[in-house]
């Protein structure tokens, strides 16, 4: 049994162990697909087709859109103002699904 300096130390250590069990690649793939299908604006299709996921490790991944105007469209879109801040919209509208996905993955890795 592990020995901890304090309750805070025990909680922090436990959280770190749980984080190690969650495969961030799964979350990133789900986020990439959902964001691209539901939140990224579509005019010619170039922006949606430029999506890329970079996996650095089991615990680190990133999703990006690679067009010269992707950053600007992320923050402003005069034609369709609801199609901005894609990641924030994804998280606020899909948090239950995200938590369920992570919980299933965590259960699978712990048991």
């Amino acid at each position: 049994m592990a020995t901890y300096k304090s309750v805070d130390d025990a909680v922090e250590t436990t959280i770190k162990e749980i984080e190690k069990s969650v495969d961030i690649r799964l979350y990133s793939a789900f986020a990439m697909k959902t964001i691209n299908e539901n939140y990224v604006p579509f005019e010619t299709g170039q922006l949606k087709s430029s999506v890329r996921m970079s996996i650095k490790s089991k615990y680190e991944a990133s999703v990006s859109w690679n067009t010269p105007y992707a950053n600007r469209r992320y923050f402003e879109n005069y034609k369709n103002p609801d199609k901005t801040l894609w990641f924030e919209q994804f998280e606020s509208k899909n948090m239950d699904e995200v938590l369920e996905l992570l919980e299933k993955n965590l259960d699978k890795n712990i048991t």
Side-chain angles (χ1 to χ4, degrees), residues 47 65-76 85-86:
L47 182 58
W65 287 262
N66 302 305
T67 63
Y69 55 88
N71 190 51
R72 184 167 186 171
R73 282 293 163 259
Y74 185 82
F75 291 103
E76 63 183 50
L85 302 173
W86 318 319

Side-chain angles (χ1 to χ4, degrees), residues 77-107:
N77 186 345
Y78 298 115
K79 291 182 181 179
N80 193 349
D82 294 334
K83 294 282 187 171
T84 59
L85 302 173
W86 318 319
F87 190 78
E88 288 81 353
Q89 286 191 51
F90 161 75
E91 283 201 324
S92 70
K93 295 177 183 173
N94 297 281
M95 191 48 68
D96 289 340
E97 285 180 82
V98 167
L99 293 175
E100 184 179 318
L101 179 72
L102 294 175
E103 185 177 306
K104 284 180 185 176
N105 187 52
L106 182 61
D107 289 344

Side-chain angles (χ1 to χ4, degrees), residues 24-25 27-30 32 51-55 61-64:
I24 198 68
R25 297 172 297 186
Y27 169 76
S28 297
F30 175 71
M32 181 178 78
V51 68
R52 301 289 179 267
M53 183 168 68
S54 172
I55 299 171
S62 65
V63 177
S64 62

